[in-house]
Amino acid sequence: MKKFFHEFKEFAMRGNVIDLAVGVVIGGAFGAITTSLVNDIIMPLISILTGGVDFTQWKWILKAGDEAAGLAEVAVNFGNLISVILNFIVIALVLFCVIKGINKMKKPEEPAPEPAPAGPTTEELLGEIRDLLKEGK
Protein backbone atom coordinates (compact mmCIF):
# COMPACT_ATOMS: atom_id res chain seq x y z
CA MET A 1 0.00 0.00 0.00
CA LYS A 2 2.89 2.34 0.77
CA LYS A 3 4.31 1.76 -2.71
CA PHE A 4 0.94 2.65 -4.24
CA PHE A 5 0.86 6.03 -2.46
CA HIS A 6 4.49 6.68 -3.38
CA GLU A 7 3.73 6.01 -7.07
CA PHE A 8 0.63 8.19 -6.87
CA LYS A 9 2.65 11.02 -5.31
CA GLU A 10 5.22 10.78 -8.13
CA PHE A 11 2.42 10.84 -10.70
CA ALA A 12 0.62 13.79 -9.10
CA MET A 13 3.78 15.86 -8.74
CA ARG A 14 4.86 15.62 -12.36
CA GLY A 15 5.11 18.98 -14.07
CA ASN A 16 2.45 18.16 -16.65
CA VAL A 17 -0.15 17.22 -14.03
CA ILE A 18 0.43 20.43 -12.08
CA ASP A 19 0.24 22.49 -15.29
CA LEU A 20 -2.98 20.72 -16.22
CA ALA A 21 -4.50 21.45 -12.80
CA VAL A 22 -3.61 25.14 -13.12
CA GLY A 23 -5.09 25.15 -16.62
CA VAL A 24 -8.36 23.65 -15.40
CA VAL A 25 -8.70 26.24 -12.63
CA ILE A 26 -7.91 29.13 -14.97
CA GLY A 27 -10.24 27.61 -17.58
CA GLY A 28 -13.07 27.56 -15.05
CA ALA A 29 -12.55 31.24 -14.29
CA PHE A 30 -12.25 32.01 -18.01
CA GLY A 31 -15.49 30.07 -18.59
CA ALA A 32 -17.31 32.37 -16.17
CA ILE A 33 -16.04 35.40 -18.09
CA THR A 34 -17.14 34.03 -21.45
CA THR A 35 -20.50 32.93 -20.05
CA SER A 36 -21.08 36.48 -18.89
CA LEU A 37 -19.96 37.80 -22.29
CA VAL A 38 -22.43 35.57 -24.09
CA ASN A 39 -25.35 36.01 -21.67
CA ASP A 40 -24.92 39.72 -20.94
CA ILE A 41 -23.66 41.11 -24.26
CA ILE A 42 -24.13 38.76 -27.22
CA MET A 43 -27.53 37.30 -26.34
CA PRO A 44 -29.22 40.70 -25.76
CA LEU A 45 -27.95 41.83 -29.17
CA ILE A 46 -29.42 38.70 -30.75
CA SER A 47 -32.63 39.33 -28.82
CA ILE A 48 -32.86 42.80 -30.40
CA LEU A 49 -32.41 41.26 -33.84
CA THR A 50 -35.18 38.75 -33.13
CA GLY A 51 -37.70 41.38 -32.02
CA GLY A 52 -36.97 41.62 -28.31
CA VAL A 53 -37.53 37.96 -27.52
CA ASP A 54 -35.45 36.61 -24.64
CA PHE A 55 -33.38 34.14 -26.59
CA THR A 56 -32.68 31.81 -23.67
CA GLN A 57 -36.43 31.42 -23.13
CA TRP A 58 -37.06 29.99 -26.59
CA LYS A 59 -38.59 26.56 -26.22
CA TRP A 60 -40.77 24.02 -27.89
CA ILE A 61 -43.61 23.13 -25.54
CA LEU A 62 -44.42 19.43 -25.67
CA LYS A 63 -47.06 19.49 -22.92
CA ALA A 64 -48.45 22.63 -21.34
CA GLY A 65 -48.32 22.85 -17.59
CA ASP A 66 -51.37 23.27 -15.39
CA GLU A 67 -50.72 25.20 -12.18
CA ALA A 68 -54.15 24.34 -10.75
CA ALA A 69 -53.51 20.60 -11.17
CA GLY A 70 -49.84 20.95 -10.16
CA LEU A 71 -48.51 19.69 -13.50
CA ALA A 72 -45.20 21.11 -14.70
CA GLU A 73 -44.63 22.19 -18.27
CA VAL A 74 -42.71 19.76 -20.48
CA ALA A 75 -40.62 21.62 -23.04
CA VAL A 76 -37.45 21.41 -25.14
CA ASN A 77 -35.37 24.49 -24.26
CA PHE A 78 -33.50 24.91 -27.56
CA GLY A 79 -32.78 28.59 -26.88
CA ASN A 80 -30.66 27.60 -23.91
CA LEU A 81 -28.82 25.07 -26.10
CA ILE A 82 -28.11 27.75 -28.70
CA SER A 83 -26.77 29.99 -25.91
CA VAL A 84 -24.40 27.24 -24.74
CA ILE A 85 -23.23 26.61 -28.32
CA LEU A 86 -22.50 30.33 -28.78
CA ASN A 87 -20.64 30.27 -25.47
CA PHE A 88 -18.48 27.40 -26.75
CA ILE A 89 -17.77 29.21 -30.03
CA VAL A 90 -16.68 32.36 -28.19
CA ILE A 91 -14.41 30.33 -25.87
CA ALA A 92 -12.88 28.44 -28.81
CA LEU A 93 -12.29 31.67 -30.76
CA VAL A 94 -10.64 33.44 -27.82
CA LEU A 95 -8.45 30.42 -27.01
CA PHE A 96 -7.42 30.18 -30.66
CA CYS A 97 -6.36 33.83 -30.64
CA VAL A 98 -4.49 33.46 -27.33
CA ILE A 99 -2.62 30.34 -28.45
CA LYS A 100 -1.81 31.91 -31.80
CA GLY A 101 -0.37 34.95 -30.00
CA ILE A 102 1.65 32.80 -27.61
CA ASN A 103 3.06 30.74 -30.47
CA LYS A 104 4.01 33.93 -32.30
CA MET A 105 5.86 35.22 -29.24
CA LYS A 106 7.64 31.90 -28.66
CA LYS A 107 8.93 31.39 -32.16
CA PRO A 108 10.70 34.45 -33.54
CA GLU A 109 11.33 34.51 -37.23
CA GLU A 110 14.63 32.86 -37.99
CA PRO A 111 16.91 34.45 -40.55
CA ALA A 112 17.37 32.56 -43.77
CA PRO A 113 20.23 30.07 -43.52
CA GLU A 114 23.42 31.06 -45.24
CA PRO A 115 24.14 29.10 -48.40
CA ALA A 116 26.64 26.29 -47.95
CA PRO A 117 30.12 27.11 -49.19
CA ALA A 118 30.71 25.87 -52.67
CA GLY A 119 32.91 22.78 -52.75
CA PRO A 120 34.99 21.46 -55.58
CA THR A 121 33.11 20.41 -58.68
CA THR A 122 32.90 16.83 -59.86
CA GLU A 123 35.41 17.53 -62.61
CA GLU A 124 37.92 18.94 -60.12
CA LEU A 125 37.57 15.88 -57.85
CA LEU A 126 37.98 13.50 -60.79
CA GLY A 127 41.06 15.45 -61.87
CA GLU A 128 42.59 15.10 -58.40
CA ILE A 129 41.87 11.36 -58.38
CA ARG A 130 43.44 11.01 -61.82
CA ASP A 131 46.56 12.90 -60.70
CA LEU A 132 46.89 10.74 -57.58
CA LEU A 133 46.56 7.56 -59.64
CA LYS A 134 49.27 8.80 -62.02
CA GLU A 135 51.58 9.41 -59.06
CA GLY A 136 50.91 5.84 -57.89
CA LYS A 137 49.53 6.60 -54.50
Side-chain angles (χ1 to χ4, degrees):
M1 191 62 134
K2 188 175 183 179
K3 183 180 177 185
F4 175 80
F5 286 115
H6 178 70
E7 288 178 12
F8 177 73
K9 180 181 174 186
E10 285 181 15
F11 168 76
M13 292 302 161
R14 286 186 185 164
N16 292 343
V17 174
I18 301 296
D19 291 344
L20 179 63
V22 170
V24 167
V25 171
I26 290 175
F30 185 73
I33 292 169
T34 56
T35 299
S36 176
L37 174 69
V38 170
N39 291 340
D40 300 333
I41 296 174
I42 295 174
M43 296 311 278
L45 294 174
I46 292 175
S47 179
I48 289 172
L49 294 174
T50 59
V53 177
D54 184 7
F55 194 71
T56 58
Q57 298 299 318
W58 283 8
K59 57 187 165 186
W60 178 33
I61 299 175
L62 301 175
K63 182 178 178 185
D66 186 7
E67 289 183 30
L71 296 174
E73 177 182 76
V74 179
V76 176
N77 296 317
F78 64 89
N80 198 26
L81 174 66
I82 293 172
S83 174
V84 172
I85 291 171
L86 284 174
N87 195 2
F88 171 77
I89 290 171
V90 169
I91 291 172
L93 178 65
V94 170
L95 284 178
F96 172 76
C97 293
V98 167
I99 290 172
K100 188 170 181 161
I102 289 172
N103 287 341
K104 201 173 215 179
M105 289 188 321
K106 277 185 177 179
K107 192 168 63 172
E109 290 185 29
E110 297 178 13
E114 296 180 18
T121 64
T122 305
E123 290 80 16
E124 292 171 341
L125 291 174
L126 289 173
E128 287 179 26
I129 293 170
R130 181 196 61 218
D131 294 341
L132 290 171
L133 288 173
K134 281 183 181 179
E135 293 174 11
K137 289 186 179 180

